[in-house]
Amino acid sequence: MSTAPAPADELLVIGKIVSVHGVRGEVKVYSFTDPIDNLLDYRHWTLRRDGEIRQVELVRGRLQGKVLVAKLKGLDDRDEARAFSGFEICVPRGELPQLAEGEYYWYQLEGLKVIDQAGQLLGRIDHLLETGSNDVMVVKPCEGSLDDRERWLPYTEHCVLSVDLAAGEMRVDWDADF
């Protein structure tokens, strides 16, 4: 694997180093993957914080409660490890597993135009949220949208009619009851 970082637009944030763990240079990691220990499948990380980029290699990791504890190659001191707090953990998008037809990563949906069954532009997907029952798309108004309302739409089979990544749009069955 190359030690040169991938271009910034090709990197996907999959976690964040939040603090140190113990005295041997391990770090606590908050994972954005599902399940959270999938982050440990990636051995080479690009760390990013305030314009600073570092390449590191994961030696080992384990699940501890709702966080992961990770040992990085060459990081053997608590004080050195403390300097890694706040770094985002990134991997190139190309390293993500292929999904089945009709499944999408959130980053693929962000920015799509959302069009209702009447052909009206509701806005663009700004981001998604995980809730207890289903994921939610936060749709913000954009140029040409129906109005200036922000909408929270469920990312469910009932609501999402189609996704066309090439066209940059999603068709939804939307009504005011959502």
Side-chain angles (χ1 to χ4, degrees), residues 49-166:
R49 179 182 68 194
D50 301 327
E52 182 180 356
I53 303 286
R54 295 186 186 189
Q55 299 297 309
V56 297
E57 183 178 340
L58 176 67
V59 175
R60 67 181 174 276
R62 68 184 181 280
L63 184 60
Q64 185 164 317
K66 294 189 182 224
V67 297
L68 301 172
V69 174
K71 174 68 175 151
L72 302 177
K73 185 175 185 178
L75 190 58
D76 299 313
D77 177 79
R78 179 180 177 86
D79 292 329
E80 289 176 26
R82 184 175 287 117
F84 283 74
S85 291
F87 272 96
E88 295 175 323
I89 301 166
C90 307
V91 296
R93 292 179 182 189
E95 289 187 18
L96 297 175
Q98 288 291 106
L99 296 176
E101 174 112 12
E103 293 183 357
Y104 304 94
Y105 287 109
W106 283 9
Y107 81 86
Q108 294 175 299
L109 302 175
E110 292 170 351
L112 293 182
K113 291 179 183 177
V114 178
I115 301 168
D116 71 8
Q117 64 274 25
Q120 301 175 104
L121 176 61
L122 300 177
R124 290 189 180 270
I125 299 174
D126 184 68
H127 61 282
L128 289 95
L129 302 170
E130 186 176 344
T131 67
S133 58
N134 55 261
D135 296 337
V136 172
M137 302 175 291
V138 178
V139 179
K140 294 199 174 187
C142 63
E143 185 176 328
S145 61
L146 176 64
D147 54 31
D148 289 334
R149 275 185 59 201
E150 176 178 283
R151 292 177 172 82
W152 289 34
L153 302 177
Y155 184 63
T156 62
E157 288 182 18
H158 172 75
C159 181
V160 177
L161 300 175
S162 66
V163 174
D164 187 340
L165 296 178

Side-chain angles (χ1 to χ4, degrees), residues 4-25:
D9 61 340
E10 288 296 315
L11 293 174
L12 184 66
V13 179
I14 62 168
K16 187 172 186 173
I17 298 175
V18 293
S19 65
V20 297
H21 177 80
V23 296
R24 296 190 178 130

